[in-house]
Amino acid sequence: MPAVTRALAILRLLGRSRTPLGVKAIARELGLVPSTALHILRALVAEGVVRVDAGTKQYSLGVGMLSLARAVLETSGFTSLVQPDLDLLSARYGVTAIGLELIGLEHMVVVALSRSRTPIRLHVDVGSRFPALISATGRCVAAFGAHPPAEVKKRFRLLQWQNAPAWETWCKEVEVVRRQGYSIDRGNYIGGVTVVAVPVPTSRPTLSHSIAAVGLSDQLERAAAVALARDMQKAAATVASRLS
């Protein structure tokens, strides 16, 4: 495994961990020799992207990651273009509107966000990551991402839902998404929460971005969810035309 790959694996692990980790724990989790992990950690600490507690010798992400993340967002055309539409959707429908970058079948990353004032149980911030096939956006990924069906099925089996759909049911829902151009997850991912998602059109065979909206199911009844989805489609089309 190249050193850069190991360094990225360490950063991802620290990003997932709720608490700082020691060298042995990091090495064990990633299958690294402890001395190799320590060497990489020292380099990351020197660059400011990882910090080490002098007393406990445990490692966590450093503030240097913030400047890197800020630079990514500031130079992302999608982030700046989608934000005004997210603000409008959030204000109009009382939902949390989200701009997502899709990384193949690995995961989706929140790159833009406009919060509603309605309390919901989905904790999300810019930089949050979710499995690529989960919830409404996941159905869009399956419908428009041109991914091998066998790999989609393999990754679907690993998803964690509150009310998981059966594989056969989910496949039928993906076909509906492919026809109508939007996806609605009503309580599958999180009970009592509705997630609406649309793909951002692209000329490429893989899907790179999506717009999602999250609200309470009591608030987003069927008619309201469909109206929201259609407004989201218009926003996605506008963003796509500006990106191209």
Side-chain angles (χ1 to χ4, degrees), residues 78 100-109 132-133 136-147 177 181-183 197-211 236 240:
F78 173 75
L100 293 155
E101 183 170 337
L102 311 174
I103 315 297
L105 284 176
E106 293 296 326
H107 51 258
M108 60 183 88
V109 182
L133 292 176
T137 298
R139 292 180 179 86
C140 290
V141 171
F144 303 106
H147 297 291
V177 171
Y182 62 84
S183 174
V198 302
V200 176
T202 176
S203 58
R204 292 173 291 182
T206 57
L207 193 63
S208 59
H209 294 92
S210 170
I211 297 175

Side-chain angles (χ1 to χ4, degrees), residues 75-229:
T75 58
S76 170
F78 173 75
T79 300
S80 58
L81 289 174
V82 77
Q83 189 63 56
D85 290 292
L86 298 183
D87 293 339
L88 287 173
L89 291 167
S90 179
R92 182 176 299 168
Y93 290 94
V95 296
T96 292
I98 306 168
L100 293 155
E101 183 170 337
L102 311 174
I103 315 297
L105 284 176
E106 293 296 326
H107 51 258
M108 60 183 88
V109 182
V110 177
V111 296
L113 180 68
S114 185
R115 297 185 186 278
S116 72
R117 296 185 178 181
T118 302
I120 58 174
R121 288 180 286 166
L122 177 62
H123 178 73
V124 58
D125 291 300
V126 171
S128 294
R129 302 198 313 176
F130 301 92
L133 292 176
I134 202 70
S135 195
T137 298
R139 292 180 179 86
C140 290
V141 171
F144 303 106
H147 297 291
E151 185 64 20
V152 171
K153 184 175 183 179
K154 175 183 175 182
R155 291 178 181 268
F156 174 84
R157 299 297 189 193
L158 301 175
L159 298 176
Q160 295 184 2
W161 314 69
Q162 187 164 345
N163 300 296
W167 164 250
E168 294 77 13
T169 300
W170 187 79
C171 288
K172 292 177 181 178
E173 293 169 348
V174 168
E175 287 303 316
V176 172
V177 171
R178 189 175 285 119
R179 292 196 303 270
Q180 66 189 13
Y182 62 84
S183 174
I184 300 175
D185 181 302
R186 186 173 293 278
N188 287 131
Y189 184 33
I190 299 176
V193 171
T194 291
V195 183
V196 182
V198 302
V200 176
T202 176
S203 58
R204 292 173 291 182
T206 57
L207 193 63
S208 59
H209 294 92
S210 170
I211 297 175
V214 184
L216 297 175
S217 295
D218 289 344
Q219 165 199 5
L220 282 177
E221 296 180 354
R222 177 66 185 175
V226 171
L228 169 59

Side-chain angles (χ1 to χ4, degrees), residues 2-70:
V4 172
T5 303
R6 292 169 178 168
L8 290 174
I10 289 174
L11 291 173
R12 292 192 181 103
L13 175 60
L14 293 177
R16 294 194 302 269
S17 178
R18 296 287 185 180
T19 59
L21 299 173
V23 174
K24 290 183 179 180
I26 293 170
R28 182 173 59 251
E29 179 70 22
L30 299 177
L32 300 176
V33 176
S35 60
T36 299
L38 179 59
H39 177 75
I40 296 172
L41 283 163
R42 285 174 174 170
L44 294 173
V45 169
E47 294 297 329
V49 293
V50 168
R51 66 178 297 273
V52 58
D53 186 295
T56 64
K57 302 298 182 183
Q58 292 188 320
Y59 295 83
S60 57
L61 291 183
V63 294
M65 292 295 296
L66 294 176
S67 60
L68 291 175
R70 188 180 301 112

